[in-house]
Amino acid sequence: MQLGLIGLGKMGFNMRERLRRHDIDVVGYDPRPEVTDVPSLEALAEALPAPRIVWVMVPSGPITRQTIENLAGVLSPGDLVIDGGNSRFTDDGPNAELLDAKGIGYVDAGVSGGVWGLDNGYGLMVGGNDADVERALPIFDALRPEGDRADGFVHAGPVGAGHYAKMVHNGIEYGLMHAYAEGYELLAAENLITDVTGVVRAWTKGTVVRSWLLDLLVKALQEDPDFKDISGFTQDSGEGRWTVEEAIRHSVPAPVISAALFARFASRQTDSPAMKAVSALRNQFGGHAVQRAPNTEGTGA
Amino acid sequence: MQLGLIGLGKMGFNMRERLRRHDIDVVGYDPRPEVTDVPSLEALAEALPAPRIVWVMVPSGPITRQTIENLAGVLSPGDLVIDGGNSRFTDDGPNAELLDAKGIGYVDAGVSGGVWGLDNGYGLMVGGNDADVERALPIFDALRPEGDRADGFVHAGPVGAGHYAKMVHNGIEYGLMHAYAEGYELLAAENLITDVTGVVRAWTKGTVVRSWLLDLLVKALQEDPDFKDISGFTQDSGEGRWTVEEAIRHSVPAPVISAALFARFASRQTDSPAMKAVSALRNQFGGHAVQRAPNTEGTGA
Amino acid sequence: MQLGLIGLGKMGFNMRERLRRHDIDVVGYDPRPEVTDVPSLEALAEALPAPRIVWVMVPSGPITRQTIENLAGVLSPGDLVIDGGNSRFTDDGPNAELLDAKGIGYVDAGVSGGVWGLDNGYGLMVGGNDADVERALPIFDALRPEGDRADGFVHAGPVGAGHYAKMVHNGIEYGLMHAYAEGYELLAAENLITDVTGVVRAWTKGTVVRSWLLDLLVKALQEDPDFKDISGFTQDSGEGRWTVEEAIRHSVPAPVISAALFARFASRQTDSPAMKAVSALRNQFGGHAVQRAPNTEGTGA
Amino acid sequence: MQLGLIGLGKMGFNMRERLRRHDIDVVGYDPRPEVTDVPSLEALAEALPAPRIVWVMVPSGPITRQTIENLAGVLSPGDLVIDGGNSRFTDDGPNAELLDAKGIGYVDAGVSGGVWGLDNGYGLMVGGNDADVERALPIFDALRPEGDRADGFVHAGPVGAGHYAKMVHNGIEYGLMHAYAEGYELLAAENLITDVTGVVRAWTKGTVVRSWLLDLLVKALQEDPDFKDISGFTQDSGEGRWTVEEAIRHSVPAPVISAALFARFASRQTDSPAMKAVSALRNQFGGHAVQRAPNTEGTGA
């Protein structure tokens, strides 16, 4: 089977490798000459016999949209495009429509696994019509983990469902990471605990909290106990925000996922405007003009 | 009426002044010679004819406890001690017992109003038996705001109830301040809003959110728009913590008050250990060893 | 001065009355014959000499949009439309554009005060250009509370700023109400507190938490102690959601306002799907198949 | 090796079985005749040659304390007691002291794994002095999962550290479960997702969120899709509360774990007193006495 793969960055590069290991004949395109297989989208289209399947693995938003538009210009009716990036699910409908006008099919695929996917396989959540998804199954089978297909792949629903499922996956991911993070901080704050890394490692087998993320936390602590070389400044890539937005749209309480998201926002502030306001209010009613008497004052605010 | 007042700090100093304005004959004691009326607790006891009322206004915890113990040594059966500091309500039972063994009565009083209480009067919440509270009413009437007694004073229940009510008052205060603070931060972040202080000021009359704290926020913004001279580093004095602990004890959900409390904790961290852990986890699955390709990568974590 | 007023519901009806008390000559339109002054928008336009000012006070969303479109058909160049409803600020740009194409001006006005505004005046936050806002000042002055204009009115910025400020106002309102609500629940849960209503009432003067909302809480408790006749089922009207969405857009942590919003969502669920999932998980690892032994088991989950 | 095991409930019963499979000679005691090996604690002490090791696996709190006291009466100097229940870490010091006065050693052990521990092994976190822990290693090795000892066992610190680590483990567990639960609820609310169980199952391999809890969630969904037979009413067993209390003591922000805890509290309320207060406030300013006009009202609260 052949596949066009657009975007050979952190994810796409590894995916090309995994697909090739599984005997998929991948033609990759990337603007960087040192990694690309062909010089242009046109060349990619030419290199693949119709009907083609082309996987798009570029940053979500305008770049994905532009790529879809470019593909609409070089592909043929009967071809199929899969957007495997972290697009917002609301982008999928317009992308599918644009391609459908040219007779080109569309599937959205949420892909999880990070750099470990090359060897472990990628968890896949896809949206689209049955025929399109069926047609791309060999690609999905090559990318997903070994074993039962349903343990690492789902046809979650129509176009948009794949990215929706991936969005929720990432929202959960925010919550999971922050739960471990709060626990870590508490362990590190308590003098009784003389071996924080040891405690976290001891959780990796047999316990209720064992998980892949926990394994990674152990690895991270073993590489850098006390996280001396790591800043708490943490980006967010969009899915956490979208998850909370969807929770609001569906009237679903999401205190855990939103707390994790807000903690990332706060991590990027050198000082909190909100806390300045709180501090200013305390000054107002606490009265700094009045001299404080050491050890003899009550506070009555 | 006469009153002994121990602790002439930020709160006690002003309270002595307000009591004197209302013709209460106050004998104040403080270890600082420049503010005290008498040189010692013994002298304070001597200066007051029995049966005495002595108001304790010192920092909560060990200092209050020590003061109660000292008073037990110098006061007489039939006297009455009022703890007006921000003691944890669980301290009141033991304090009352200690004094009761000497035949001395005990009332706990939560006092709110900050430096503004001198002129506005103090909101008072007291706990104790009916006779003790009744006996101290002239003191409470002098301290509380003018007008209907029930608008600024309550006999909330038996010993402990006053401090319990004050604790909940302060817990609410945390939530109120943080609600305003979040709104302020959002206004300040939005370019459409060209006059943040003006918006906040426009809320002070007619709106649903008008309050005394809002008036103080306007004052603070007028003194220092953008809070340039204010750090977000914010202490907490105990009642917020106790409120959340009580919420836990009573199985009462307290997401707002706890969020406000946690934001204070976070304001005092230069970097968040929890966010270091989150950041470390993202590094682990995102794979920094792999070169990132600008503009051509999807992320699949 | 004359004003056309569209929408004579809960808010508009009272506003007509207040405006008339302040000698504004109001022509009101409402589809309900029993309250309307004129039978149609056309009649309203005819009844007002150009250049006209027309205030729209109808539900936000499609009804406001439709009203704006209808007004574009019956008004004349040089007229001015004010949207005083709770529109999302993102609706204001399109509304202004639509009217601008006809030479009609547009101002958005956030209005706060509820049913009390008739007598107290309404807090007003407006957005628009200087000339349009200036022109409508007599209307704003009639609606706002007596006293200093800046205490109940603000020209917050260009078109959209008024509704933005109102949105943030309501977001804060969610947080304030929930802070009081948590405190109330805790007071009601604690046996030491023998007079919950009395405690809340005692906070209305002198304390840090005194506010108009607190006054209303006292009123509500006096009418129905223990809230026996009130369901916790609580709607939300949009601004709380929008505030959290804006917080997300601006990367502003909003734990308090979002917690208050989520509590409303939860109040409308008869059972929580999320808690069913938690309960199901506990069943899975806790093992219901194994007989529990009364008083002799440890749990090791 | 021999072991006395007190408490043959849900956990203890299985642990006896696992220990016997690993050739530990267990003498179990339980008040229920149908499961006990000996009729009394005295008989248990007699059945074991000194120096003895006795594992206590009974409910935390007074029952554990009473059991420790009873053991102090029947054991001999040089014996060792291990408390494997979910005791609060603050109980360990007093327990250790009581036994130490008799020359009996004490180790606290947090045990995780639920009913699955019988076959999978139990995650163990222990606190105590080196000699005591060393001496009990064969017991720990029999209980913990196969493989590297450090992956399922840790000597976390002195007495108390084991239960502290277990407490944090369970706090994290609350957060993890609630993160999955929020994601589940959102998936179930979204029409695009036609196969909720399928999506969750597809996360079990390759993804970032894969975990043992996720495997259990799949199992639960397969047994009862839509959780029709499950109530959201969810108990909490103490560790979640203690974790938040410790977070407060250490000034560690814990928004995720506390949110998960508060959601459990809320799940047990038929109606929320706090939401009644919010609803009452909305009634107050929204004015139900005024007739609402369908479709023609703005709201200005």
Side-chain angles (χ1 to χ4, degrees):
Chain A
M1 188 156 200
Q2 288 188 300
L3 178 75
L5 176 57
I6 299 172
L8 300 169
K10 191 167 50 169
M11 287 293 286
F13 188 90
N14 278 353
M15 289 166 70
R16 179 173 62 179
E17 175 63 15
R18 182 170 177 93
L19 288 160
R20 285 178 175 164
R21 286 186 195 168
H22 287 73
D23 297 322
I24 306 290
D25 181 8
V26 184
V27 179
Y29 168 72
D30 190 282
R32 294 170 304 147
E34 66 273 24
V35 293
T36 195
D37 298 321
V38 288
S40 67
L41 284 190
E42 291 76 7
L44 178 130
E46 276 172 37
L48 298 166
R52 306 170 187 88
I53 305 183
V54 178
W55 187 293
V56 177
M57 205 67 194
V58 301
S60 64
I63 295 173
T64 290
R65 180 62 180 183
Q66 186 60 55
T67 303
I68 299 288
E69 287 174 7
N70 294 346
L71 282 174
V74 301
L75 295 183
S76 313
D79 289 351
L80 174 65
V81 170
I82 301 170
D83 176 19
N86 271 336
S87 299
R88 202 181 195 284
F89 75 100
T90 44
D91 292 346
D92 291 314
N95 286 345
E97 274 179 48
L98 186 151
L99 292 166
D100 185 60
K102 305 273 183 168
I104 303 168
Y106 181 84
V107 164
D108 57 289
V111 179
S112 179
V115 294
W116 303 81
L118 171 58
D119 293 323
N120 294 348
Y122 301 90
L124 300 176
M125 302 134 255
V126 311
N129 67 47
D130 287 350
D132 287 343
V133 170
E134 180 77 19
R135 187 172 151 199
L137 267 185
I139 307 297
F140 299 137
D141 282 341
L143 287 171
R144 70 170 174 82
E146 317 296 322
D148 196 333
R149 180 185 285 154
D151 288 340
F153 169 87
V154 66
H155 180 187
V159 164
H163 281 138
Y164 201 95
K166 179 59 171 25
M167 176 196 77
V168 176
H169 166 280
N170 281 37
I172 292 171
E173 180 187 306
Y174 277 58
L176 300 181
M177 288 199 285
H178 211 77
Y180 286 121
E182 289 181 5
Y184 160 75
E185 182 169 341
L186 191 49
L187 286 180
E190 170 57 43
N191 284 333
L192 273 179
I193 303 297
T194 57
D195 182 3
V196 171
T197 301
V199 169
V200 178
R201 183 173 171 196
W203 290 341
T204 58
K205 283 197 183 164
T207 71
V208 173
V209 304
R210 66 191 191 262
S211 73
W212 187 65
L213 277 167
L214 186 70
D215 295 342
L216 294 184
L217 183 56
V218 173
K219 199 162 165 294
L221 282 165
Q222 288 173 334
E223 289 168 13
D224 179 9
D226 307 327
F227 294 139
K228 286 200 174 58
D229 298 331
I230 289 173
S231 158
F233 185 102
T234 308
Q235 292 294 357
D236 71 281
S237 53
E239 292 89 352
R241 296 170 186 240
W242 303 337
T243 303
V244 178
E245 288 167 359
E246 281 299 293
I248 291 171
R249 187 167 70 86
H250 283 299
S251 301
V252 165
V256 161
I257 296 174
S258 61
L261 178 66
F262 292 147
R264 293 203 184 181
F265 293 170
S267 80
R268 306 198 295 261
Q269 299 182 323
T270 46
D271 202 354
S272 156
M275 290 314 298
K276 282 168 172 268
V278 170
S279 190
L281 281 172
R282 295 182 84 233
N283 288 355
Q284 286 293 330
F285 62 67
H288 280 308
V290 177
Q291 188 73 29
R292 296 190 66 146
N295 281 351
T296 58
E297 51 180 322
T299 55
Chain B
M1 187 154 199
Q2 288 188 299
L3 179 74
L5 176 56
I6 300 172
L8 300 167
K10 191 166 51 167
M11 287 294 286
F13 188 90
N14 279 351
M15 289 166 69
R16 178 174 61 177
E17 173 63 16
R18 181 172 177 92
L19 287 161
R20 286 177 175 168
R21 287 186 194 168
H22 286 73
D23 298 322
I24 306 290
D25 181 8
V26 184
V27 180
Y29 169 72
D30 191 281
R32 293 170 304 146
E34 66 273 23
V35 293
T36 196
D37 298 322
V38 289
S40 66
L41 284 190
E42 290 74 10
L44 179 130
E46 276 172 38
L48 297 165
R52 307 170 187 88
I53 305 183
V54 178
W55 187 293
V56 178
M57 205 65 193
V58 302
S60 64
I63 296 172
T64 290
R65 180 62 180 182
Q66 186 60 55
T67 303
I68 299 288
E69 286 175 7
N70 294 345
L71 282 174
V74 300
L75 295 182
S76 313
D79 289 350
L80 174 64
V81 170
I82 302 171
D83 175 18
N86 272 335
S87 298
R88 201 182 196 285
F89 75 99
T90 44
D91 292 345
D92 291 315
N95 286 344
E97 274 178 48
L98 186 150
L99 292 167
D100 186 60
K102 306 272 182 169
I104 304 168
Y106 181 83
V107 165
D108 57 290
V111 180
S112 180
V115 293
W116 303 81
L118 171 58
D119 293 323
N120 294 348
Y122 300 91
L124 300 176
M125 303 135 254
V126 311
N129 67 47
D130 288 349
D132 287 342
V133 171
E134 180 76 20
R135 186 171 152 200
L137 266 185
I139 307 297
F140 299 138
D141 282 341
L143 287 171
R144 69 169 175 82
E146 316 297 322
D148 197 334
R149 179 185 287 154
D151 289 339
F153 169 86
V154 67
H155 180 186
V159 164
H163 281 138
Y164 201 94
K166 179 59 171 26
M167 175 197 76
V168 176
H169 166 282
N170 281 37
I172 291 172
E173 181 187 305
Y174 277 58
L176 300 181
M177 287 200 283
H178 211 78
Y180 287 121
E182 290 181 5
Y184 161 75
E185 181 169 341
L186 191 48
L187 286 179
E190 170 57 43
N191 284 333
L192 273 178
I193 303 296
T194 56
D195 183 2
V196 171
T197 301
V199 168
V200 178
R201 183 174 171 195
W203 290 341
T204 57
K205 282 196 183 167
T207 71
V208 173
V209 304
R210 66 189 191 261
S211 73
W212 187 65
L213 277 168
L214 187 70
D215 296 341
L216 294 184
L217 184 57
V218 173
K219 198 162 166 293
L221 283 165
Q222 287 173 335
E223 289 168 13
D224 179 10
D226 308 328
F227 294 138
K228 284 199 175 58
D229 297 332
I230 289 172
S231 157
F233 185 102
T234 308
Q235 292 294 358
D236 71 282
S237 53
E239 293 89 351
R241 296 170 187 240
W242 303 336
T243 303
V244 178
E245 288 167 0
E246 281 299 292
I248 291 171
R249 187 168 70 88
H250 282 300
S251 302
V252 165
V256 161
I257 295 173
S258 60
L261 178 65
F262 293 147
R264 294 203 183 179
F265 293 169
S267 81
R268 305 199 295 260
Q269 298 182 323
T270 47
D271 202 354
S272 155
M275 291 313 299
K276 282 169 172 265
V278 170
S279 189
L281 280 173
R282 294 181 84 233
N283 289 356
Q284 286 293 330
F285 61 68
H288 280 308
V290 177
Q291 187 73 30
R292 295 188 67 144
N295 283 352
T296 57
E297 50 180 321
T299 55
Chain C
M1 189 155 198
Q2 287 188 301
L3 179 74
L5 176 56
I6 300 172
L8 301 168
K10 191 168 49 166
M11 286 294 287
F13 188 90
N14 278 352
M15 289 166 69
R16 178 173 63 176
E17 175 63 15
R18 183 171 177 91
L19 287 160
R20 286 178 174 165
R21 288 186 194 169
H22 286 73
D23 297 323
I24 305 289
D25 181 8
V26 183
V27 180
Y29 169 72
D30 191 281
R32 294 170 303 146
E34 67 273 25
V35 293
T36 196
D37 298 320
V38 289
S40 67
L41 285 190
E42 290 76 7
L44 178 131
E46 276 172 36
L48 298 166
R52 307 170 186 87
I53 305 183
V54 178
W55 187 292
V56 178
M57 205 65 194
V58 301
S60 65
I63 295 172
T64 290
R65 180 63 180 183
Q66 187 59 56
T67 303
I68 299 288
E69 286 175 7
N70 294 345
L71 282 174
V74 301
L75 295 182
S76 313
D79 289 350
L80 174 65
V81 170
I82 301 171
D83 176 19
N86 272 335
S87 299
R88 202 181 196 285
F89 75 100
T90 44
D91 292 346
D92 291 314
N95 286 344
E97 275 179 47
L98 186 151
L99 291 167
D100 186 60
K102 305 271 183 170
I104 304 169
Y106 181 83
V107 164
D108 56 289
V111 179
S112 180
V115 294
W116 303 80
L118 171 58
D119 293 323
N120 294 348
Y122 300 91
L124 300 176
M125 302 135 255
V126 311
N129 68 47
D130 288 349
D132 287 342
V133 171
E134 180 77 19
R135 186 171 153 199
L137 267 186
I139 307 297
F140 298 138
D141 281 340
L143 287 171
R144 69 170 174 80
E146 316 296 322
D148 196 334
R149 180 185 286 153
D151 289 340
F153 169 86
V154 66
H155 180 187
V159 165
H163 280 138
Y164 201 94
K166 178 60 171 24
M167 174 196 78
V168 175
H169 167 281
N170 281 36
I172 292 171
E173 180 187 305
Y174 277 57
L176 300 182
M177 287 199 285
H178 210 77
Y180 287 122
E182 290 180 5
Y184 160 74
E185 182 169 341
L186 191 48
L187 286 179
E190 170 57 43
N191 284 333
L192 273 178
I193 303 297
T194 56
D195 183 2
V196 171
T197 300
V199 169
V200 178
R201 183 173 172 196
W203 290 341
T204 58
K205 282 196 182 167
T207 71
V208 173
V209 304
R210 64 192 192 260
S211 73
W212 186 64
L213 276 168
L214 186 71
D215 295 342
L216 295 183
L217 184 56
V218 173
K219 199 162 166 294
L221 282 165
Q222 287 173 335
E223 289 168 13
D224 180 10
D226 308 328
F227 294 139
K228 285 199 174 56
D229 298 331
I230 289 172
S231 158
F233 184 103
T234 309
Q235 292 294 356
D236 71 281
S237 53
E239 292 90 353
R241 296 171 186 240
W242 304 336
T243 303
V244 179
E245 288 168 0
E246 281 299 292
I248 291 171
R249 188 168 70 87
H250 282 301
S251 301
V252 166
V256 161
I257 296 174
S258 60
L261 178 66
F262 293 147
R264 294 203 185 179
F265 293 169
S267 81
R268 305 198 295 261
Q269 298 182 323
T270 46
D271 202 353
S272 155
M275 290 314 298
K276 282 168 173 266
V278 169
S279 189
L281 281 172
R282 294 181 85 233
N283 289 355
Q284 287 294 330
F285 62 67
H288 280 309
V290 177
Q291 188 73 29
R292 296 188 66 145
N295 282 351
T296 57
E297 52 182 320
T299 54
Chain D
M1 188 154 198
Q2 286 189 301
L3 179 74
L5 176 56
I6 300 172
L8 300 168
K10 191 168 49 166
M11 287 294 287
F13 188 90
N14 278 351
M15 288 166 70
R16 178 173 63 177
E17 174 64 15
R18 182 171 176 91
L19 287 160
R20 286 176 175 167
R21 287 187 194 166
H22 286 72
D23 296 323
I24 305 290
D25 180 9
V26 183
V27 179
Y29 169 72
D30 191 281
R32 293 170 303 146
E34 65 273 25
V35 292
T36 195
D37 298 320
V38 288
S40 67
L41 284 190
E42 290 76 9
L44 179 129
E46 276 172 37
L48 297 166
R52 308 171 186 88
I53 305 183
V54 178
W55 187 292
V56 177
M57 205 67 193
V58 302
S60 64
I63 296 172
T64 291
R65 180 62 179 182
Q66 187 59 55
T67 303
I68 298 288
E69 286 175 7
N70 294 345
L71 282 174
V74 302
L75 296 182
S76 314
D79 289 350
L80 174 65
V81 170
I82 302 171
D83 176 18
N86 272 336
S87 298
R88 201 180 196 286
F89 75 100
T90 44
D91 292 346
D92 291 314
N95 286 343
E97 274 178 49
L98 186 151
L99 292 167
D100 186 59
K102 305 272 183 168
I104 304 168
Y106 181 83
V107 164
D108 57 290
V111 180
S112 179
V115 294
W116 303 80
L118 172 58
D119 292 323
N120 294 348
Y122 301 90
L124 301 175
M125 302 135 256
V126 311
N129 68 46
D130 287 350
D132 287 342
V133 172
E134 180 76 20
R135 187 171 151 200
L137 266 185
I139 308 296
F140 299 138
D141 281 340
L143 288 171
R144 70 170 174 82
E146 316 296 322
D148 196 334
R149 179 186 288 153
D151 289 339
F153 169 87
V154 67
H155 181 187
V159 164
H163 281 139
Y164 201 94
K166 179 59 172 21
M167 174 196 76
V168 176
H169 167 280
N170 281 38
I172 292 172
E173 182 187 304
Y174 277 57
L176 300 182
M177 287 200 285
H178 211 77
Y180 286 122
E182 290 181 5
Y184 161 75
E185 181 169 341
L186 190 49
L187 286 179
E190 170 57 44
N191 284 333
L192 272 179
I193 303 297
T194 56
D195 182 3
V196 171
T197 301
V199 168
V200 178
R201 183 175 171 194
W203 291 341
T204 57
K205 282 197 182 165
T207 71
V208 173
V209 304
R210 66 191 190 261
S211 72
W212 186 64
L213 276 168
L214 186 70
D215 295 342
L216 294 184
L217 184 57
V218 173
K219 198 160 165 294
L221 283 165
Q222 287 173 336
E223 289 168 13
D224 180 9
D226 308 326
F227 294 138
K228 284 198 175 57
D229 298 331
I230 290 172
S231 158
F233 185 102
T234 307
Q235 292 293 358
D236 72 280
S237 52
E239 292 90 351
R241 297 171 186 241
W242 303 335
T243 303
V244 178
E245 288 167 359
E246 281 299 292
I248 291 171
R249 188 168 70 87
H250 283 300
S251 301
V252 165
V256 161
I257 295 173
S258 60
L261 178 66
F262 293 147
R264 293 203 185 180
F265 293 170
S267 81
R268 306 199 294 261
Q269 298 181 322
T270 48
D271 202 353
S272 157
M275 290 314 299
K276 282 169 172 266
V278 170
S279 190
L281 281 173
R282 294 182 84 233
N283 289 355
Q284 287 293 330
F285 62 68
H288 279 309
V290 177
Q291 186 74 28
R292 296 189 65 146
N295 283 352
T296 57
E297 52 182 320
T299 56

